[in-house]
C-alpha cells in the first residue's frame, strides 16, 4: 500500500467530513470566544437535534429510492396535535405518543398509495402535504397554540441532564437505533436492497411493498416526533412550524450521501450533513453575517461537497 | 495510475480547503461592521472610548414590505448612533428563529430586537436572553414579562377603526364582506378579532368567507384567492367589500378585482404601505388603509434603547405609535 493511495482513499471517503472540520476551524479562529466553547457545542447539538430526527426518516425513504415531501406538514401536524392535547389536559406521555401513532398511520397510507397504485411518491406525498396543511389550519384555526400549555409539556424540549439537553440525548439515541437497524438488521439490509434494485429484490423474495410501506410509516412517525419536540422546545405550536424543516432535511440527506464513498443515503452521513448545516447557521450568526449571505454560502457548500465527492469517485452519475 | 490520482486528489483537498476558507472569510468580512470586541468595532462617535454596542435584529418576516421598511429604518437609525447592527431573517420559520436567538445569546449581543414576531412563540429562548441579562426589545411584536419595551400599534384599535370606517362610511351599514387574514401573526390576529367583534354589531352585513392568506407571497396568494372568490360570486354586487387585515392581501385582491372589471367592490387594508397608498390615489377598488406609524415604532425602540444604554430609567411594557386613516 502506497501512502499517496491512502490519502486519496481517505479524501474520497471522508471529503465532506474534512469540509466540516475546516468550517469548524475557520469559525473557531474567527470567534474563539463565542464559537469554540462547550456552551456553544451543546447549543449546536440542541439546534440540530430536530433536523437530525426528521432527516433520519427522510433517509429511510430515500434508501428505498422514494421521496416523502409531506414530512414538513407531518411535523407541523404532530406539533399542533401534541400541543392541543396538552392544553386539553391529556397526560404528557400520551401527548407525545398519539401524534406519532397518527402520523405513522398517515405514512402507511402514503406507502400504500405509492406501492398499491404505483403512483409516484413525489406526487402522492405532495398531495398528502397539501391535505395535511389544510387539516392543520382547520384544526388550529390558523392560530398558534401557546396558551395554557402545561409546564410539564415543555420539559423534554427545554431541560438538560448533566448540562446535556434532553433533545440532544434523544437525537443521539435515535441515531444509534436507526444506524443499528439499517446496518445490522435484515430490515435495514432489505431497504438498501430495494433501493439498489427493486425488481431484483422482488425476485429474490423480499416483500417490497411491505418494506416500502414501513419506510414511509417510520419516516412519518419521525417527522411527527420532530414536530412534537419542536412544540415542546418552543412552548408553542405553529400551524406551519415544521414546514421549514422539509428542504433542510433533504439537504442534510444529500450532504450525508457525500460523507461516505458508497454515495448512498446513510444514517451517520445524514447526521454529519445536518451537523454541517447546523454549524454553518450557528457560526455565521455568531459572526453576524447577514442572512442572505448565509443562504448563499450554505447552498455553495452543498454544491461544492457534491461536486468534490463526484470528482473523488471519478463518475458523473 | 492510482498514485497519479492520489496527487490529483491532494490538489483537490487543497482547493477545497482554500475555497472553504475563502468563502467563510469573505462572509465574515461581508459584515462591514466587525465584531465589537475587535479594535475595528470601536465607534467613531463621541463614545469612541467604549466598544460599539452589538444589536441583533431578528425577524421571521423580512420579505414583507412593511417589516423590511421597519428593519431598514431601524438599522440605519441605530448605525447613526454608532451601534453595530446585524439582521437575521428566518423566512417564516420559528424553529430557526429559536435557534438564531440562542446563537445571538451565546455571542453575547448587547441587545436583541424582535421584529413582527410573537415572543410567546420563542419564550424559552427569550428566557435564556433574560437570564443572560441581554435586553430584549420588540417592534411590532408582542410583550412578555422580562422584555424591555414593545413598540407597536394598537392593532385591536386599528382593526376596529378600519372595520368601522368600512361598515359605516363605505358600506352604509349593509352588504356582504370577505375577510382576508393571517391569524398566526400577533398583530393581524388582534385586528381580525376586532373585525369579528364589530361584525356582530352589524346584522345587515354578512360575512361571505374568511380566507387565510399565505406568507411569504401574500399579494400573489390573495390575488389567486380573490380570483376564485370572484368566480364563485360572479354576479355584480354579490360582494360589497373586502376587509383585509393588512395591505398586501388588499393589493392582491384589488388587482384581481380590476382584472375582472368588478369596480363596485370596495377594498380596505391596514398598514399604509406605499403601494397601497398609491392605489388609493389612483381610484382603484382600494379605498382606504390605516397608516401604521412604523417610523414611530422604530423611533420608540431606538430612543428607549439609547436611553437604556445611557443608564437612564425606561418604562417597561407596550408603547403605542398612533395610527391614522389614509383615504383619497
Amino acid at each position: 500500500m502506497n501512502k499517496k493511495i491512502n490519502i486519496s482513499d481517505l479524501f474520497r471517503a471522508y471529503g465532506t467530513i474534512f469540509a466540516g472540520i475546516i468550517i469548524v476551524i475557520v469559525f473557531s479562529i474567527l470567534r474563539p470566544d463565542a464559537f469554540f466553547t462547550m456552551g456553544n457545542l451543546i447549543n449546536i447539538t440542541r439546534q440540530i437535534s430536530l433536523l437530525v430526527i426528521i432527516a433520519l426518516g427522510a433517509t429511510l425513504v430515500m434508501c428505498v429510492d422514494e421521496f416523502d415531501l409531506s414530512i414538513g406538514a407531518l411535523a407541523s401536524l404532530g406539533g399542533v396535535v401534541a400541543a392541543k392535547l396538552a392544553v386539553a389536559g391529556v397526560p404528557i406521555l400520551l401527548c407525545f405518543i398519539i401524534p406519532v401513532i397518527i402520523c405513522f398511520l398517515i405514512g402507511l397510507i402514503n406507502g400504500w398509495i405509492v406501492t398499491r397504485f404505483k403512483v409516484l411518491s413525489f406526487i402522492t406525498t405532495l398531495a398528502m402535504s397539501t391535505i395535511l396543511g389544510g387539516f392543520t389550519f382547520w384544526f388550529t384555526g390558523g392560530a398558534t397554540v401557546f396558551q395554557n400549555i402545561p409546564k410539564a409539556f415543555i420539559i423534554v424540549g427545554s431541560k438538560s441532564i448533566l448540562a446535556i439537553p434532553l433533545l440532544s440525548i434523544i437525537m443521539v439515541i435515535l441515531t444509534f437505533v436507526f444506524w443499528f437497524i439499517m446496518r445490522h438488521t435484515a430490515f435495514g439490509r432489505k431497504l438498501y436492497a430495494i433501493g439498489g434494485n427493486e425488481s431484483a429484490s422482488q425476485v429474490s423474495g423480499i416483500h417490497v411493498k411491505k418494506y416500502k410501506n414501513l419506510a414511509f410509516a417510520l419516516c412519518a412517525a419521525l417527522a411527527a416526533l420532530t414536530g412534537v419536540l419542536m412544540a415542546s422546545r418552543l412552548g408553542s405550536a405553529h400551524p406551519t412550524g415544521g414546514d421549514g424543516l422539509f428542504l433542510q432535511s433533504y439537504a442534510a440527506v444529500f450532504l450525508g450521501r457525500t460523507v461516505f464513498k458508497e454515495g448512498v443515503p446513510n444514517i451517520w452521513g445524514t447526521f454529519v450533513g445536518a451537523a454541517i448545516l447546523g454549524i454553518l447557521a450557528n457560526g455565521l450568526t455568531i459572526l453576524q453575517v447577514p442572512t442572505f449571505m448565509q443562504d448563499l454560502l450554505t447552498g455553495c457548500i452543498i454544491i461544492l461537497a457534491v461536486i468534490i465527492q463526484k470528482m473523488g469517485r471519478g463518475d458523473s452519475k | 495510475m492510482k498514485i497519479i490520482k492520489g496527487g490529483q486528489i491532494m490538489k483537490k483537498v487543497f482547493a477545497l480547503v482554500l475555497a472553504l476558507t475563502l468563502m467563510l472569510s469573505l462572509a465574515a468580512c461581508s459584515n462591514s461592521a466587525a465584531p465589537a470586541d475587535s479594535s475595528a468595532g470601536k465607534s467613531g462617535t463621541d463614545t469612541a472610548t467604549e466598544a460599539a454596542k452589538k444589536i441583533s435584529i431578528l425577524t421571521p418576516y423580512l420579505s414583507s414590505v412593511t417589516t423590511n421598511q421597519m428593519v431598514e429604518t431601524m438599522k440605519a437609525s441605530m448605525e447613526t448612533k454608532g451601534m453595530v447592527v446585524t439582521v437575521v431573517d428566518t423566512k417564516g420559520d420559528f424553529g430557526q428563529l429559536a435557534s438564531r436567538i440562542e446563537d445571538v445569546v451565546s455571542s453575547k449581543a448587547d441587545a436583541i430586537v424582535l421584529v413582527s414576531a410573537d415572543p410567546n412563540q420563542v419564550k424559552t429562548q427569550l428566557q435564556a436572553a433574560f437570564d443572560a441579562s441581554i435586553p430584549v426589545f420588540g417592534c411590532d411584536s408582542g410583550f412578555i414579562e422580562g422584555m424591555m419595551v414593545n413598540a407597536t400599534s394598537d392593532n385591536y384599535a386599528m382593526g376596529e377603526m378600519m372595520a368601522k370606517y368600512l361598515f359605516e362610511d363605505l358600506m352604509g351599514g349593509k352588504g356582504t364582506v370577505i375577510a382576508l387574514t393571517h391569524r398566526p401573526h400577533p398583530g393581524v390576529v388582534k385586528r381580525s378579532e376586532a373585525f369579528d367583534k364589530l361584525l356582530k354589531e352589524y346584522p345587515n352585513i354578512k360575512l361571505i368567507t374568511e380566507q387565510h392568506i399565505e406568507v411569504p407571497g401574500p399579494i400573489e396568494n390573495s390575488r389567486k384567492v380573490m380570483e376564485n372568490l370572484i368566480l364563485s360570486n360572479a354576479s355584480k354586487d354579490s360582494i360589497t367589500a373586502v376587509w383585509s387585515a393588512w395591505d398586501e392581501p388588499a393589493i392582491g385582491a384589488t388587482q384581481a378585482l380590476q382584472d375582472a372589471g368588478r369596480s363596485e367592490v370596495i377594498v380596505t387594508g391596514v398598514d399604509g404601505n406605499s403601494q397601497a397608498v398609491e392605489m388609493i390615489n389612483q381610484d382603484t377598488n382600494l379605498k382606504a388603509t390605516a397608516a401604521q406609524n412604523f417610523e414611530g415604532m422604530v423611533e420608540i425602540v431606538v430612543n428607549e434603547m439609547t436611553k437604556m444604554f445611557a443608564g437612564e430609567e425606561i418604562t417597561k411594557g407596550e408603547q403605542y405609535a398612533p395610527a391614522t386613516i389614509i383615504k383619497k
Side-chain angles (χ1 to χ4, degrees), chain B residues 21-323:
Chain B
T21 314
L22 209 67
M23 279 159 76
L24 293 171
S25 312
L26 268 175
C29 296
S30 75
N31 181 17
S32 55
D37 49 4
S38 73
S39 57
K42 308 266 176 183
S43 108
T45 65
D46 51 1
T47 56
T49 47
E50 291 173 34
K53 298 291 184 192
K54 288 182 292 176
I55 316 298
S56 287
I57 302 176
L58 297 115
T59 178
Y61 296 120
L62 197 63
S63 57
S64 146
V65 174
T66 38
T67 303
N68 202 305
Q69 274 173 1
M70 222 167 1
V71 168
E72 285 305 314
T73 318
M74 190 183 302
K75 187 168 180 266
S77 170
M78 286 172 171
E79 281 171 352
T80 58
K81 289 180 184 290
M83 300 176 191
V84 176
V85 183
T86 322
V87 178
V88 176
D89 170 40
T90 63
K91 303 182 190 72
D93 185 338
F94 278 82
Q96 280 285 328
L97 186 68
S99 296
R100 300 293 73 82
I101 293 173
E102 287 168 351
D103 295 344
V104 168
V105 170
S106 61
S107 73
K108 302 182 185 68
D110 292 301
I112 292 173
V113 186
L114 200 59
V115 182
S116 304
D118 185 353
N120 281 300
Q121 294 180 33
V122 280
K123 220 172 181 172
T124 321
Q125 289 68 34
L126 289 180
Q127 190 56 49
F130 304 153
D131 293 345
S133 303
I134 298 175
V136 178
F137 291 77
C139 189
D140 185 33
S141 297
F143 183 83
I144 59 170
E145 207 49 51
M147 284 172 68
M148 306 304 283
V149 166
N150 175 46
T152 184
S153 298
D154 188 340
N155 277 297
Y156 192 90
M158 266 194 327
E160 196 177 28
M161 181 169 86
M162 278 321 294
K164 197 160 185 126
Y165 181 70
L166 175 66
F167 293 170
E168 296 257 331
D169 298 40
L170 298 174
M171 294 173 73
K174 59 178 193 303
T176 55
V177 65
I178 290 167
L180 304 177
T181 65
H182 182 92
R183 290 187 187 246
H185 185 283
V188 170
V189 72
K190 283 185 189 159
R191 296 173 198 171
S192 307
E193 282 165 5
F195 172 85
D196 293 344
K197 187 158 177 278
L198 201 70
L199 186 66
K200 288 190 188 126
E201 293 172 19
Y202 290 84
N204 294 328
I205 294 179
K206 194 178 141 270
L207 179 69
I208 299 175
T209 176
E210 175 182 330
Q211 291 287 314
H212 170 87
I213 302 302
E214 282 165 21
V215 179
I219 297 182
E220 171 65 9
N221 186 243
S222 69
R223 189 173 175 151
K224 282 185 200 150
V225 166
M226 200 63 225
E227 281 165 358
N228 298 338
L229 289 173
I230 290 168
L231 290 177
S232 58
N233 297 276
S235 60
K236 281 246 172 199
D237 299 319
S238 53
I239 309 167
T240 317
V242 177
W243 180 86
S244 171
W246 79 110
D247 277 343
E248 279 151 333
I251 293 165
T254 301
Q255 289 169 342
L257 288 163
Q258 282 182 311
D259 283 354
R262 296 285 293 267
S263 56
E264 84 282 6
V265 182
I266 301 157
V267 181
T268 61
V270 181
D271 277 349
N273 96 20
S274 46
Q275 194 182 353
V277 173
E278 205 178 296
M279 288 176 107
I280 292 170
N281 290 329
Q282 285 167 351
D283 270 334
T284 60
N285 301 64
L286 187 53
K287 297 298 175 202
T289 178
Q292 280 212 74
N293 192 349
F294 290 116
E295 282 180 8
M297 288 180 215
V298 170
E299 211 176 296
I300 291 172
V301 171
V302 178
N303 286 345
E304 293 297 307
M305 192 180 281
T306 314
K307 274 205 253 170
M308 182 194 72
F309 285 141
E312 289 174 38
E313 192 77 8
I314 61 170
T315 323
K316 292 185 179 180
E318 297 263 22
Q319 291 193 22
Y320 296 126

Side-chain angles (χ1 to χ4, degrees), chain A residues 215-231:
Chain A
F216 275 106
L218 281 172
C219 171
L222 283 166
L225 179 65
T226 307
V228 177
L229 293 173
M230 182 187 267

Side-chain angles (χ1 to χ4, degrees), chain A residues 188-240:
Chain A
R189 284 193 289 270
K190 282 173 183 168
L191 290 192
Y192 275 122
I194 294 168
N197 189 332
E198 191 174 326
S199 329
S201 308
Q202 186 83 54
V203 172
S204 65
I206 296 174
H207 197 323
V208 171
K209 285 183 182 173
K210 183 175 112 186
Y211 285 100
K212 275 198 172 183
N213 288 350
L214 273 173
F216 275 106
L218 281 172
C219 171
L222 283 166
L225 179 65
T226 307
V228 177
L229 293 173
M230 182 187 267
S232 174
R233 167 162 149 84
L234 298 175
S236 64
H238 198 272
T240 57

